[in-house]
Amino acid sequence: MVVIIGQMLFLLFSSFCHCDIERIFPGVCEPMRMPPKFPCDINVCNNSNIISNCNQRQLTNVPSGIPGNVTVLDLSKNDIYNITAESFSNLFNLTILNLNFLNYRKNKDRVIINSMAFKNLTKLTALKLVKTNLTDIPTNLPPNVRKLDLSNNNIMLQTMNLSSLANITHLWLTKNCYSWNPCKSSVTVENNTFAVMTKLRILDLTYNNLTAVPKGLPQSLEELSLGFNQIAHIFQDDFLGLKNLQALKFQGNCPRCENAPFPCVPCKNSSLDIHPLAFRSLTQLERLHLGGNSLRRLDSSWFQNLTKLKVLYLSFNLLEKAITEDAPCLQYLPQLKKLDISFNYEPKTYSKTVKLSRDFSHLHSLQILQMAALVFQEIGPETLSSLYGLKNLSALNLGTNFIINFNSSVFSNFPQTKMIYLAENRLYPMQSSSKAMETSPASICLQMAFQQHLTAQSSLPCPT
């Protein structure tokens, strides 16, 4: 076992990430000889993938002379404002096209894309159009396109027409309306807008000022992201029929706003309201993110059908009582491997200790428990007692709790645990514990702030 009490980068505890629309890991690549004035790099990889890298070349037009057998073309971060019908007319083998930040230096100007710009790209499977200031979804997309990234644009989700996207499997529409890309209104998607997308597997609608879960989502969905919107209620039938859904990300819809490092508007009803039967159809769900919703309770009925759940994020809520008193909901999570209950401290309190609910003992598959920033002074003999019998627990994060002292013998009850993280606390030797306990919480907070340079996201208010 490694017990960490100093500063380090703790990589085991990571959140869901937004992955690129396509990642290419070429094997052996060789440069293709091109004319001296040709602005792009051409590489042949594995004798089949021909990659044209025109990234950040200060181009104002799609360069002529791109080999017709190119399979991957990256034109991102240039100064191109007009895509014509002839721009890609001879690139018949193109499978991946990256047009992100096409108007890089004047990113407030809209890129104009001719309706026939992609007509000859019959082999195109992935198209990236991030931050091109589009106001509408491109039409006449080739039928083989499966992955489409339209993030950071100005697309009005209220009126968008998705009839041309019937074959899309991965769609990113994140950040089309939020505080740093404002549309100056709340957003409600019309019923059945996505129903035409019967092959859709991954849908990302984070940061769009949505006020409700869109109705009529396709049953083919495997991953749905609705985080950082303004959705205050999850109703009984919002996810009805999503029998294939494996990941649901719903974080940040009712955020805790004290010390928030971003523009923060609390919910009118103070916390996210979830109907008791809202998740009953999600029998295949493996990952659930409910962090940052100011939740104060955990309803057992939410989890009764989530027996396949493996990852659960509950951080940045107000669940201190819910996780230290009876928590029968944990009995329904036999396959849970990772649980995050960090930053669930009660404002303006600094308890002497906490005791995790005895129901944690039901999490027999648990491997990683993240319980940073619950804010308490001492790890007592009963604090973690409900975890002693968890034979698969390999990593325990107790950082940023303002802990003053602990008895290291407590950790002898975790012989199977490989890492216990105690950094970002204020620990004193046990023989000085009585004196340490007299140290003012505000003083501890001040010392920690200077010593550890806490990031804005993980900073805590000094207990009072």
Side-chain angles (χ1 to χ4, degrees):
M1 180 198 304
V2 177
V3 178
I4 300 170
I5 59 176
Q7 293 287 335
M8 68 167 292
L9 181 62
F10 192 66
L11 296 177
L12 284 178
F13 303 106
S14 58
S15 296
F16 292 135
C17 70
H18 171 69
C19 299
D20 289 335
I21 195 170
E22 193 74 39
R23 288 185 177 177
I24 302 168
F25 300 97
V28 178
C29 296
E30 295 182 357
M32 179 185 290
R33 183 171 295 180
M34 298 296 292
K37 292 186 179 181
F38 187 72
C40 308
D41 299 323
I42 309 291
N43 288 282
V44 181
C45 302
N46 297 329
N47 296 319
S48 58
N49 286 322
I50 301 175
I51 301 173
S52 178
N53 181 12
C54 305
N55 170 267
Q56 214 161 350
R57 306 300 166 97
Q58 298 184 2
L59 301 174
T60 56
N61 294 289
V62 177
S64 59
I66 297 175
N69 57 351
V70 157
T71 57
V72 179
L73 175 58
D74 185 355
L75 285 165
S76 59
K77 295 186 178 180
N78 282 292
D79 299 305
I80 301 172
Y81 303 98
N82 189 21
I83 300 295
T84 70
E86 291 75 34
S87 294
F88 311 117
S89 59
N90 67 324
L91 304 183
F92 302 105
N93 291 319
L94 199 63
T95 60
I96 299 173
L97 178 58
N98 185 352
L99 301 178
N100 291 349
F101 298 92
L102 206 57
N103 50 347
Y104 191 50
R105 288 193 295 181
K106 295 182 179 180
N107 57 26
K108 292 185 178 180
D109 294 341
R110 183 168 66 93
V111 175
I112 299 173
I113 301 178
N114 187 281
S115 61
M116 303 303 290
F118 308 119
K119 65 178 180 178
N120 289 345
L121 306 183
T122 57
K123 296 183 180 180
L124 192 69
T125 60
L127 176 60
K128 304 175 73 172
L129 287 164
V130 175
K131 193 62 176 177
T132 49
N133 290 332
L134 296 178
T135 56
D136 297 296
I137 292 175
T139 58
N140 296 328
L141 292 180
N144 283 327
V145 174
R146 296 293 182 266
K147 299 179 180 181
L148 179 61
D149 195 341
L150 297 170
S151 302
N152 289 88
N153 283 291
N154 303 115
I155 296 171
M156 300 299 292
L157 274 64
Q158 302 97 313
T159 58
M160 61 184 176
N161 185 345
L162 302 179
S163 59
S164 62
L165 306 184
N167 291 325
I168 296 293
T169 61
H170 297 61
L171 178 60
W172 290 271
L173 279 167
T174 183
K175 295 183 178 180
N176 274 272
C177 176
Y178 76 119
S179 55
W180 289 312
N181 183 22
C183 63
K184 299 180 181 179
S185 67
S186 298
V187 176
T188 301
V189 178
E190 291 186 6
N191 291 351
N192 299 313
T193 294
F194 294 96
V196 67
M197 304 183 70
T198 56
K199 299 178 182 178
L200 190 62
R201 293 168 48 203
I202 294 178
L203 175 61
D204 191 343
L205 294 172
T206 55
Y207 290 104
N208 278 306
N209 280 2
L210 293 176
T211 56
V213 177
K215 303 295 184 183
L217 293 171
Q219 294 185 9
S220 56
L221 275 179
E222 297 174 7
E223 181 175 316
L224 175 61
S225 300
L226 291 166
F228 301 104
N229 283 292
Q230 298 177 1
I231 303 173
H233 303 274
I234 300 180
F235 295 104
Q236 179 174 345
D237 295 333
D238 279 349
F239 305 120
L240 187 65
L242 300 185
K243 58 184 179 180
N244 296 304
L245 199 67
Q246 298 175 21
L248 175 60
K249 304 175 186 178
F250 214 93
Q251 70 275 24
N253 275 278
C254 286
R256 298 183 61 164
C257 287
E258 73 270 14
N259 283 358
F262 51 83
C264 188
V265 179
C267 278
K268 292 181 179 180
N269 54 331
S270 74
S271 68
L272 178 65
D273 178 46
I274 305 175
H275 190 278
L277 301 179
F279 303 138
R280 73 187 188 282
S281 297
L282 308 182
T283 56
Q284 303 301 310
L285 201 68
E286 296 183 357
R287 289 172 288 158
L288 177 60
H289 201 328
L290 291 174
N293 285 308
S294 303
L295 296 174
R296 287 190 173 273
R297 64 184 183 89
L298 295 173
D299 193 323
S300 293
S301 60
W302 298 344
F303 302 97
Q304 283 182 355
N305 286 0
L306 305 187
T307 55
K308 293 187 178 181
L309 201 66
K310 296 179 180 178
V311 179
L312 176 59
Y313 291 94
L314 294 171
S315 54
F316 291 95
N317 284 297
L318 293 160
L319 293 171
E320 183 177 346
K321 289 185 178 180
I323 60 178
T324 56
E325 298 177 356
D326 289 341
C329 61
L330 300 179
Q331 300 178 30
Y332 298 105
L333 304 175
Q335 297 190 45
L336 194 68
K337 295 182 177 181
K338 181 176 180 179
L339 175 60
D340 187 352
I341 55 173
S342 298
F343 290 89
N344 272 285
Y345 63 92
E346 192 68 28
K348 298 183 178 180
T349 62
Y350 186 41
S351 304
K352 181 177 181 181
T353 189
V354 298
K355 179 184 177 182
L356 290 181
S357 169
R358 60 185 179 182
D359 290 305
F360 277 82
S361 62
H362 296 287
L363 301 178
H364 299 296
S365 299
L366 194 64
Q367 298 176 4
I368 298 174
L369 176 59
Q370 208 179 161
M371 49 179 294
L374 298 184
V375 185
F376 58 98
Q377 300 176 32
E378 182 177 353
I379 301 175
E382 298 298 315
T383 299
L384 307 172
S385 59
S386 58
L387 306 178
Y388 293 165
L390 303 184
K391 304 302 181 185
N392 293 304
L393 188 64
S394 60
L396 177 61
N397 179 7
L398 289 161
T400 322
N401 269 303
F402 295 90
I403 297 170
I404 299 174
N405 57 49
F406 71 100
N407 190 326
S408 59
S409 64
V410 169
F411 298 121
S412 64
N413 296 293
F414 297 95
Q416 76 289 347
T417 303
K418 298 177 181 178
M419 181 176 289
I420 295 177
Y421 184 70
L422 283 168
E424 301 174 351
N425 282 294
R426 187 62 175 172
L427 300 173
Y428 290 86
M430 285 301 292
Q431 58 267 29
S432 303
S433 61
S434 59
K435 181 179 179 180
M437 293 294 282
E438 296 173 0
T439 306
S440 71
S443 172
I444 297 168
C445 181
L446 186 61
Q447 293 177 55
M448 290 185 67
F450 279 103
Q451 179 181 348
Q452 298 163 14
H453 308 289
L454 295 178
T455 62
Q457 186 169 356
S458 62
S459 62
L460 288 172
C462 293
T464 56

